[in-house]
Amino acid sequence: MPPDAAARPVDFRAGGFEPRPGRTAPWIAAAAILGAWQIASAAGLLPDLFMPSPEAVITALGRMWASGELTLHLIASVQRIAIGFAIGAAAGLAVGFAMGIVSLARAVGLPIVSALFPIPKIALLPLLILWLGIGEPSKVATIALGVFFPTALATKTAVDGVPRNLIRMAQSFGMPAFAIVLKIVAPGAMPGILGGFRIAASIALILVTAAEMIGAEHGVGALVLGAGNLMQTDKLIAGVVLLSIMGLLVAAGIGALEKWLLRWR
Amino acid sequence: MELRAEGIGHRYGALDVLDGIDLSVREGEILAVIGPSGCGKSTLLGILGGLIRPTAGRAAIVGDAPQGCLNALTYVFQDFALLPWRSVAGNVGLALEHHPLSRGERHRRIADALALTGLADFADAYPKQLSGGMRQRVGIARAIVVRPAVLLMDEPLSALDAQTRELLQEELLAIWARERTTTVYVTHNLMEALRLADRIAVLSRRPGRLKDLIEVPVPREMRGEPGHAAALTALHDRLWQSIRPEAAAADREIVDAA
């Protein structure tokens, strides 16, 4: 159809509201911030004692790596997180599934779990130290408790969210209850459970840092606190950078797990 | 196997859904159940298959299941009820996994069911990759893989578009003709009932009571012939006249099932 001279085009009105992650923008932004920080330090605008330059932080990291100090702190923290997370997640999964499936477990467990969930678990560390001593068990128990509650609640909610029609379908084929839990409920709840793991992992990182600040010789939390006490701010910020890297690695690990377990999505 | 509804009634709290349904589904027939929306058709099917406990009466079976039957009363669901994390073959095989079958027998059954439903080339596909029609073919394959004695079909085609529905009606009849499995077919579509069923049970509006039980007078294979069109149209009109006031009343009802 030939264009009509009197016709006006219809304006497009549906733009925006579709944010997309960029590929290069994040790197450019990070480089710009680090660059500005380095320039400000070099120009003497930032006093070294309160805000050491990125270069000084990297040098501190290199020094700690060469001396083996970094490995010592990292291994201590990762070990505590790994053991605490494994215990807390296993218990959380068991209790979450029970509350999601069994009426009695829900009636008894849900009010208790909901009441204890909001308590900042670090407040229990002194009590746990009294019970378990100042060594590893009290720190691991704090992390396990911190992981347990969000895992249990996320698992229960995820089990609730599994479509009932899938369960009825399995029952209509005479599938035994245990097989239904294994083949229908568990995979159906997996997205929600992994979401719970994400929250639990960040709580574990907070708790390990706090617990190590209260009473530990080694660990990234102890490193940060010790450096602060000695006004070694380059080491202090190096410790914070380590915590950030650990957080990113844990998130990436859970992301990879999601990608693999939820590849059907 | 014959399936019987003996005085079945059902209430959801204060809501009376079904009342005194007496019905026998004869061996090898397709019985369509129609009625206005909310009349309890799906509830009746749920009770017949043991998925809903009736508040009155009972569902009962007479006779033995055929050889090789692993699940006598088997459903095909309106919403397909497929596991999104399993492939087509995985969904069909699910129905066999808790039975002590040899690996060969399991594979043979799955391959047969997939071939019969035209899914042989889609065994490794996931539900989200399939059209609605293909998804329901998976639902049908999963039902026939256990060689059921009775197929309970709950509006199996109502979520599909009109053309896919036509295709699947043909395929359903071809599959049925092979084993002549006793079938209860719940639908709100009169044309579908007239095309597929030997007999049509008409339920009244809530509480659903058996209002009519009509034998379709034209043999199934001759229903497409022009010579029988008048008889089928007359039956369609009769059914519609029977349902119309009920459907109109049901449409204006305020539903408060909570």
Side-chain angles (χ1 to χ4, degrees), chain A residues 165 172-173 183 187 264-265, chain B residues 71 79 85 94 97-98 128:
Chain A
N165 67 331
S172 81
F173 282 99
K183 292 174 182 177
W264 48 272
R265 288 215 290 198
Chain B
N71 190 53
D79 58 6
W85 54 87
L94 178 84
E97 285 171 11
H98 52 287
K128 71 166 183 189

Side-chain angles (χ1 to χ4, degrees), chain A residues 162 165-166 168-176 179 183-185 187-189 261 263-265, chain B residues 51 71 73-75 77 79 81-86 94-95 97-99 126 128 142-143 146:
Chain A
V162 176
N165 67 331
L166 296 183
R168 295 288 171 257
M169 177 276 295
Q171 289 175 322
S172 81
F173 282 99
M175 190 179 275
K183 292 174 182 177
I184 313 284
V185 177
L261 283 173
R263 56 194 179 279
W264 48 272
R265 288 215 290 198
Chain B
L51 291 187
N71 190 53
L73 305 170
T74 299
Y75 280 90
F77 297 89
D79 58 6
L82 301 180
L83 305 182
W85 54 87
R86 282 189 177 226
L94 178 84
E97 285 171 11
H98 52 287
H99 294 286
Y126 282 81
K128 71 166 183 189
R142 182 181 58 196
V146 295

Side-chain angles (χ1 to χ4, degrees), chain A residues 90-116:
Chain A
L93 282 174
V95 170
F97 268 106
M99 290 193 304
I101 294 166
V102 184
S103 297
L104 183 65
R106 175 174 301 214
V108 175
L110 194 54
I112 298 175
V113 171
S114 303
L116 298 180

